Amino acid sequence: MRHRYIVKKRQDSIWNLIKGAHDAWSGWVCVLLVGVCTGVVAGVIDIGASWMTDLKFGICPQAFWFNREQCCWSNDEITFDHGNCSQWMTWAQLFGESKEGVGAYIISYLFYIVWALLFAALSASLVRMFAPYACGSGIPEIKTILSGFIIRGYLGKWTLVIKVVGLILSVSSGLSLGKEGPMVHIASCLGNILSYLFPKYGRNEAKKREILSAAAAAGVSVAFGAPIGGVLFSLEEVSYYFPLKTLWRSFFCALIAAFILRSINPFGNEHSVLFFVEYNKPWIFFELIPFVGLGIIGGCIATIFIKANIYWCRYRKYSKLGQYPVTEVLVVTLVTAIIAYPNPYTRMNTSQLIYLLFNQCGISNSDPLCDYNRNFTDVNKAIEKAAAGPGVYQAIWLLMLALVLKLVMTVFTFGIKVPCGLFIPSLALGAIAGRIVGIGVEQLAYKYPKIWLFSGECSTGDDCITPGLYAMVGAAAVLGGVTRMTVSLVVIMFELTGGVRYIVPLMAAAMASKWVGDALGRQGIYDAHIALNGYPFLDSKDEFQHTSLAADVMQPKRNETLSVITQDSMTVDDVETLLKETEHNGYPVVVSKESQYLVGFVLRRDLNLAIDDKETILCSIVQSTSNSINGILRHGRPDISHALV
């Protein structure tokens, strides 16, 4: 009505024309503001989380607000893989110890645990005291809101502030969680708050959901640097109603958010993607078999995680454990810190681990994962096949241990009362499994380069198998199995890594993972949490197949005959008798007692009302007839002889 009124009146005056133009562009201005604010907030979160994560390991004395990488930018002697940077000091060095040794290890270990507990305690306390809605991922609730249900206060300003601060703290604590899911919640909070600047959207919940869909796309865009993937994520995973107008506004909002974040450049590099890969070697047709195998493995890992996490969250909800959220956070953080520090692959930031697993081993890589028996004589020459050294096998054992530990700790972490996402832990689990499989295939190609499986591609001496590609495919498989994403997942992955050449392997793994996940459990992690929390969400993608007939489920009690009303062979007395003898709330209407063909259904209430109305009318007729007879008797019998003539 309002829109039609504005369109009708805009020809009357210049002021009404301006009001009409403002009404037309207000949606675009709103999503522009949402994109700008989302990009700025994402930059603040990235910078804060990076600095506080490095604070667990040491500090930059010259400028304490610098993280490790920024502190070492001006140092020409840095070899960052070794941490050979004199400007950055570990906590052991600040206490007069050397960088190596038992004393240094113990001091670093203790500071790592203390900082982790401090950050987690602050995050949980802020959430409990100021904004209980700021905990968790937020995506299940956003899906419920976009389906039409209103959760008061879930997208408010206090939730936004505590979610931002708590997310920085929880990510910095080293818990097995990510910031990508909460970024969707943060962007949706910004969309809700900014929509009130435009009454067309702030006062209309249905129109506001258009802004929230665009905000969800912007959240994924800044989380991964993937604007197209963000739009597809909002379309495939979050939004309930997504018309073409919302699609264009979501694309514009995601684009603006990614541009603002790229302008801030919180990571300080020239790449706008999170895990840029530098290899573009074509994959062999045979590799589709291990890629599909990784999809199956990813679906199995995802199913184990979903079932275990839902079981633990249900136990937390219905037991006394749910009454002590801060204590639970501290216990989970303490256990995570204790078991994570000894393993270098669980000690490092999860994003750094994924980047390491995605990377190709080159001359500058000194990690044990790249301990191959190679002689790099020419930097520009293609990398040759080589046997894996002892460091690779040691790294494989550490990675297998890291896989188990991260899976177990993510089960207990997702759902605790701090802001926590699931994308990065899922990617890490899949990347670990994929890298291990990739090393196995690589060594198979090294030992048997001329077998028919490799189609002669591995007989030249160059390295024809890229383990980093297997890590990328495995990461997509586990994330797809956990969230049940397909199209948006593939787009996010190649935007995330810049590996456009590997779309087909990513598609194969994503589909295999979804099929396995659907076969072992119908729901993804977000739908499972919606069902666990009892949100009124009706999934538009659900299919309901009913094979039972009404006669199979509507049986009379105690072998009684079915109480029915016939179409035209029952009197009012028969209906009243039926109502007195039975207590059903309704009765099926059939053709006859012999032909039980259903033609309708009538409620008991409607039958009683109809009978009462007829009785009232009948009583009034009887009363009027009685009055007429009494009048005749009082005034004498009229002469009707003339009527008979």
Side-chain angles (χ1 to χ4, degrees), residues 433-449:
R435 186 76 183 206
I436 294 172
V437 173
I439 293 173
V441 177
E442 181 189 40
Q443 292 305 300
L444 179 66
Y446 171 73
K447 293 183 179 179
Y448 308 102

Side-chain angles (χ1 to χ4, degrees), residues 394-416:
Q394 180 186 3
I396 288 176
W397 285 109
L398 290 174
L399 286 174
M400 292 175 66
L401 182 61
L403 176 64
V404 175
L405 294 178
K406 278 195 169 293
L407 177 60
V408 173
M409 295 315 302
T410 308
V411 166
F412 290 100
T413 302
F414 189 71
I416 61 176

Side-chain angles (χ1 to χ4, degrees), residues 486-495 502-504 506-508 510:
T486 52
V487 179
S488 57
L489 171 65
V490 174
V491 176
I492 287 174
M493 286 305 298
F494 83 72
E495 282 190 288
Y502 307 117
I503 291 180
V504 173
L506 292 172
M507 292 174 66

Side-chain angles (χ1 to χ4, degrees), residues 62 68-69 71-89 93 99:
Q62 288 78 13
R68 185 179 183 181
E69 188 175 0
C71 184
C72 299
W73 274 347
S74 61
N75 189 8
D76 296 333
E77 65 184 5
I78 177 173
T79 305
F80 195 72
D81 288 336
H82 287 96
N84 184 22
C85 173
S86 58
Q87 310 249 352
W88 177 264
M89 296 188 67
Q93 289 176 295
K99 293 182 65 174

